[in-house]
Amino acid sequence: MEKRKVRFVDPGKLYRMLKPELDAAYFEIMEKGELINRGHLKSFEDNLAKFVGTKYAIGLNSGYDSLHVSMRAAGIGPGDEVIVPAHTFVASCSAIVNVGATPILVDVTSDFNIDVNKINEVITSRTKGIMPVHLSGWMADMPAILKIAEKYNLVVIEDACQSLGSSINGIGAGAWGTAGCFSFYPFKILGGYGDGGAITTNSEKIATYARRMRFNGEDRETGEYCGHGFTCLLDNMQAAFLDVKLRYMRQWIDKRKAIANKYLEAFSDIPDLLLPHYNRAGFDHVYQNYTLRSKQGSEFSDYLKEHGIEILTQFRKPYYKHKALNLPDRGFPETEALSREVCSLPMNVEIDEEELDYVIQVVRSFYGLN
Ligand SMILES: Cc1ncc(COP(=O)(O)O)c(C=O)c1O
C-alpha cells in the first residue's frame, strides 16, 4: 500500500470548487467597502432562519458567542444551574461558567448525546436550563428533553454547533429550544473562512437582545445603550461567504450520507469497530463528523496518522478532567469509555473516491483485512 496524505477537511480544495461565487462575493464587498453589519449579513441571517425553520437568526462571531449571548438573553446567571453533557466541546460548559451559572454535568449514551434518563436525577430548585448538545450531526432526544423542560419550566439552549441541517421529525436542530446555537468554524459542515456563529430563535425578545448585545448593547436605531454588551458580530464578509455555501447544504448533506454509507459497507465486518449508524425513526444524521469507536483506541488512531490520514480524537481527555477548569468529576462511565475509543475519519464534501478508498484500505489493514 503506497502511503498518501488524506486531510480531515480541505478548505483550499472547497474554495477552488466554489471559486467563481466566492470571488464574486469578495470583490463586491471589497469594491463597496461593506464590512460591518451590511446587507450580506442580513441576507445570510434571513436564509439561515429559513433553512433552520425559525423566525430569526442573528449572526455572531463564534459558536461560543452564540451560547454565551443566548444564555444571557434567556436570563441565566449567578445562582442558576444548567445541565450539560459530560461529553462535549469545552465551549458548551465554559459559556455556562462565564455567565456566572453552575454547569451540572450528565453522562451520555452510546450515541454520544446526553442521557435523557439521567436528567431528572440532577434537577434541583436552582436548575434554570438544559443545554443539549447535538454532537457530530446527530441530535439529542429533543422530544424527551422538551417534556422535562416543560415540567420544570426550564430554558433550553440547543448547542447545535455540530448539527446544522440535522432534524427530528422534520424539525431542524436549532428550532426546538428557546434558542439554537451554531458555529461556522472552518471544520464545520457550513464552515467560514475564519470564526463565525449564529443564534436561531422564534423569540423576538431573544433576537432583539442578541442584536443589541453583539453591538456593545446599542439599539442601532435609537442609539440607546440597553446594557453592557460585547463586540461579537458576524463579519459581513464571512456572512457573504456563508450565504454562498448555504445554497449547497442539502446537496452536501446527501454527499456526507453517501460517504457514511460507504464507510458502513466497508467496515461492517469488523466487530472491534462501533460505527455511528443508529436507525432511530424520525432522526436524521447529517454526519458533521464520522466518529466511530475502536476497541484499540489510540493504537488505532495512531496507525491512521502514521499512514498519512488526518483524524480527530475528540476528546481523549474529557473536559472535566482538566484541573484548571475546576469541575466536579462525579464519574461518567459512558463518557470515559467512549473517550478512550473515539476516532473521527475524514468526512467532507471535497474528498474524492481515491482518498476514501485509501482511508478504507488503511482501516482494514489495521485489522489485518484486505
Ligand atoms: C459542540 C460545540 N459547541 C461549541 C462550539 C464552539 O464553537 P466556536 O468554535 O465557533 O466558538 C463548538 C465548535 O467548535 C462545538 O463543536
Side-chain angles (χ1 to χ4, degrees):
M1 177 169 49
E2 196 185 323
K3 185 175 165 182
R4 53 180 299 174
K5 191 165 171 49
V6 181
R7 297 190 58 179
F8 191 72
V9 296
D10 192 342
K13 193 169 168 192
L14 187 56
Y15 163 66
R16 289 187 290 281
M17 287 159 65
L18 300 175
K19 189 170 168 25
E21 288 167 88
L22 290 171
D23 284 359
Y26 170 81
F27 286 116
E28 186 197 335
I29 288 166
M30 293 302 275
E31 293 281 349
K32 291 184 180 161
E34 295 194 331
L35 303 175
I36 304 282
N37 202 26
R38 295 303 169 122
H40 298 85
L41 176 59
K42 176 84 176 61
S43 163
F44 173 62
E45 289 174 335
D46 290 347
N47 290 328
L48 181 67
K50 233 178 268 162
F51 183 85
V52 169
T54 52
K55 276 195 198 155
Y56 311 100
I58 303 94
L60 298 177
N61 207 30
S62 68
Y64 168 80
D65 286 321
S66 63
L67 292 165
H68 177 217
V69 170
S70 56
M71 269 191 297
R72 284 185 185 273
I76 295 171
D80 297 329
E81 293 177 351
V82 179
I83 294 165
V84 64
H87 179 67
T88 179
F89 183 53
V90 65
S92 319
C93 180
S94 296
I96 297 169
V97 172
N98 288 341
V99 299
T102 304
I104 304 296
L105 279 56
V106 168
D107 207 357
V108 292
T109 67
S110 57
D111 74 352
F112 301 97
N113 287 332
I114 193 162
D115 186 342
V116 291
N117 295 316
K118 296 209 166 107
I119 293 177
N120 274 308
E121 293 166 18
V122 297
I123 288 181
T124 70
S125 57
R126 301 202 310 166
T127 309
K128 178 85 184 240
I130 308 178
M131 184 190 287
V133 181
H134 311 312
L135 226 54
S136 297
W138 175 253
M139 286 181 67
D141 186 345
M142 290 311 292
I145 289 166
L146 288 198
K147 251 189 223 156
I148 299 169
E150 212 168 286
K151 182 168 170 194
Y152 295 100
N153 195 23
L154 305 177
V155 167
V156 177
I157 303 293
E158 280 177 82
D159 182 339
C161 287
Q162 295 192 7
S163 285
L164 180 64
S166 183
S167 60
I168 302 171
N169 299 330
I171 300 175
W176 288 76
T178 317
C181 302
F182 292 95
S183 166
F184 308 122
Y185 181 80
F187 275 29
K188 301 296 187 209
I189 198 162
L190 179 66
Y193 292 88
D195 278 315
I199 293 173
T200 52
T201 184
N202 288 316
S203 157
E204 191 183 344
K205 191 170 145 251
I206 288 191
T208 302
Y209 180 95
R211 266 190 223 110
R212 288 173 178 168
M213 289 301 137
R214 70 180 177 176
F215 229 140
N216 304 100
E218 186 181 358
D219 179 329
R220 300 289 292 178
E221 273 167 29
T222 63
E224 188 72 13
Y225 292 118
C226 305
H228 292 285
F230 311 95
T231 307
C232 57
L233 282 95
L234 179 65
D235 285 339
N236 201 55
M237 182 83 83
Q238 290 298 344
F241 295 149
L242 292 166
D243 217 10
V244 167
K245 288 181 156 191
L246 187 60
R247 295 178 207 139
Y248 293 90
M249 275 294 287
R250 289 290 160 213
Q251 189 181 320
W252 286 350
I253 286 170
D254 287 345
K255 168 122 198 223
R256 284 174 180 272
K257 288 180 181 177
I259 295 169
N261 282 332
K262 187 164 170 144
Y263 282 147
L264 173 66
E265 268 174 38
F267 305 142
S268 52
D269 60 339
I270 307 176
D272 280 3
L273 291 181
L274 203 57
L275 305 174
H277 298 262
Y278 307 112
N279 201 11
R280 197 167 169 190
F283 283 59
D284 188 33
H285 203 324
V286 297
Y287 293 102
Q288 154 72 58
N289 294 314
Y290 193 85
T291 309
L292 51 71
R293 289 171 65 169
S294 162
K295 283 216 173 103
Q296 287 69 32
S298 292
E299 206 191 316
F300 174 80
S301 52
D302 288 348
Y303 181 83
L304 267 61
K305 279 192 252 175
E306 280 156 21
H307 284 78
I309 298 171
E310 281 183 1
I311 43 99
L312 286 184
T313 51
Q314 289 180 327
F315 306 92
R316 275 287 181 271
K317 182 175 174 182
Y319 66 90
Y320 56 83
K321 288 196 179 288
H322 292 252
K323 288 265 176 303
L325 301 189
N326 207 13
L327 296 164
D329 178 354
R330 294 189 294 112
F332 305 101
E334 189 64 30
T335 295
E336 285 178 25
L338 63 84
S339 297
R340 281 191 294 274
E341 297 181 349
V342 281
C343 179
S344 301
L345 301 183
M347 166 59 80
N348 57 68
V349 294
E350 56 275 9
I351 201 162
D352 61 37
E353 289 298 318
E354 269 176 38
E355 289 170 315
L356 276 175
D357 288 341
Y358 178 71
V359 175
I360 289 168
Q361 207 185 351
V362 172
V363 169
R364 291 186 66 78
S365 75
F366 176 80
Y367 288 102
L369 300 166
N370 289 324

